[in-house]
């Protein structure tokens, strides 16, 4: 047992994919549910991922490790959404089930697509897709220095559930 706590109140509403929008750089982005059909496209995205944007050891660096990692993430139990620009993934967000009937959240956006609103739209669509799939509780960890991410998570309804380690743990209740 982790002792993780979740808010008593459920979060507000979130859109379900597909979601189409124009990002802050005037690019047409489509967010859609993702699965094993996107495997090779996601491998290519993670191959292009900037080393400086890796956190907590993920995504993995080498292609073989990325493939093994994606095998787990794209399982039927997980919830995946992908942001696509000009036919290629530029962002990926995932809810992975844990051993305590909750889901861990992870989100990745290619460097050239960051700070354009894609992460926000990606997370909202992921949470909408998660709620539709029956996900009740979601948690994540974020490095304490990552103030933009923390502000975004709070805006979406996440609350700090554990601040006793190097990283903050945050949680949200979807239903």
């Amino acid at each position: 047992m982790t002792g993780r706590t979740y808010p008593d109140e459920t979060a507000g509403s979130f859109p379900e994919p597909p979601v189409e929008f124009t990002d802050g750089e005037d690019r047409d982005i489509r967010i859609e549910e993702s699965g094993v059909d996107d495997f090779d496209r996601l491998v290519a995205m993670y191959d292009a991922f900037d080393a400086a944007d890796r956190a907590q050891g993920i995504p993995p660096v080498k292609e073989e490790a990325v493939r093994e990692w994606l095998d787990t993430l794209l399982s039927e139990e997980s919830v995946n959404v992908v942001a696509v620009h000009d036919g290629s993934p530029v962002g990926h967000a995932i809810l992975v089930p844990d051993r305590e009937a909750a889901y861990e959240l992870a989100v990745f956006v290619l460097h050239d697509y960051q700070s354009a609103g894609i992460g926000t739209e990606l997370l909202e669509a992921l949470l909408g897709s998660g709620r539709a799939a029956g996900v009740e509780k979601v948690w994540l960890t974020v490095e304490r220095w990552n103030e933009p991410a923390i502000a975004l998570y709070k805006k979406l309804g996440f609350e700090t559930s554990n601040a006793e380690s190097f990283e903050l743990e945050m949680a949200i209740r979807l239903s």
Side-chain angles (χ1 to χ4, degrees), residues 6 15 24 55 60-61 74-75 83 91-92 117 125-127 138 140 147 162:
Y6 294 88
V61 177
L74 297 177
S75 73
H92 180 210
L126 177 68
L127 295 172
V138 176
L140 59 88
E147 293 175 13
N162 185 342

Side-chain angles (χ1 to χ4, degrees), residues 3-12 14 102-103 127 131 135-140 153-162 169-175:
R4 183 175 301 117
T5 59
Y6 294 88
D8 292 332
E9 299 293 318
T10 59
F14 299 104
Y103 286 73
L127 295 172
R131 179 178 277 152
V135 172
E136 180 181 341
K137 299 181 283 187
V138 176
W139 63 277
L140 59 88
Y153 296 138
K154 285 181 178 179
K155 176 181 156 188
L156 294 173
F158 281 85
E159 296 178 10
T160 301
S161 59
N162 185 342
E169 187 173 279
M170 302 179 81
I172 194 171
R173 184 178 298 273
L174 295 180
S175 61

Side-chain angles (χ1 to χ4, degrees), residues 46-57:
Y46 286 116
D47 188 46
F49 211 79
D50 192 312
D53 292 328
R54 296 177 197 279
Q56 304 167 332

Side-chain angles (χ1 to χ4, degrees), residues 87-110:
S88 296
V90 298
H92 180 210
I94 314 104
L95 295 175
V96 180
D98 67 13
R99 294 184 179 115
E100 298 180 11
Y103 286 73
E104 183 177 8
L105 183 148
V107 60
F108 305 93
V109 177
L110 288 175

Side-chain angles (χ1 to χ4, degrees), residues 112-132:
D112 289 346
Y113 290 84
Q114 293 177 7
S115 301
I118 295 171
T120 301
E121 297 280 347
L122 197 56
L123 287 172
E124 288 177 349
L126 177 68
L127 295 172
S129 190
R131 179 178 277 152

Side-chain angles (χ1 to χ4, degrees), residues 8-129:
D8 292 332
E9 299 293 318
T10 59
S13 64
F14 299 104
E16 291 179 44
V19 173
E20 294 182 1
F21 67 100
T22 301
D23 76 356
E25 297 293 324
D26 207 31
R27 297 174 289 213
D28 293 330
I29 306 294
R30 177 179 169 90
I31 298 175
E32 51 198 42
E33 291 185 342
S34 181
V36 293
D37 293 344
D38 290 314
F39 190 87
D40 289 328
R41 292 186 332 150
L42 286 169
V43 169
M45 184 192 99
Y46 286 116
D47 188 46
F49 211 79
D50 192 312
D53 292 328
R54 296 177 197 279
Q56 304 167 332
I58 54 175
V61 177
K62 298 188 186 275
E63 182 178 332
E64 183 177 327
V66 168
R67 288 180 176 279
E68 289 176 15
W69 181 65
L70 283 173
D71 274 339
T72 301
L73 296 184
L74 297 177
S75 73
E76 287 184 25
E77 296 82 26
S78 297
V79 178
N80 287 265
V81 296
V82 63
V84 177
H85 175 244
D86 286 342
S88 296
V90 298
H92 180 210
I94 314 104
L95 295 175
V96 180
D98 67 13
R99 294 184 179 115
E100 298 180 11
Y103 286 73
E104 183 177 8
L105 183 148
V107 60
F108 305 93
V109 177
L110 288 175
H111 184 77
D112 289 346
Y113 290 84
Q114 293 177 7
S115 301
I118 295 171
T120 301
E121 297 280 347
L122 197 56
L123 287 172
E124 288 177 349
L126 177 68
L127 295 172
S129 190

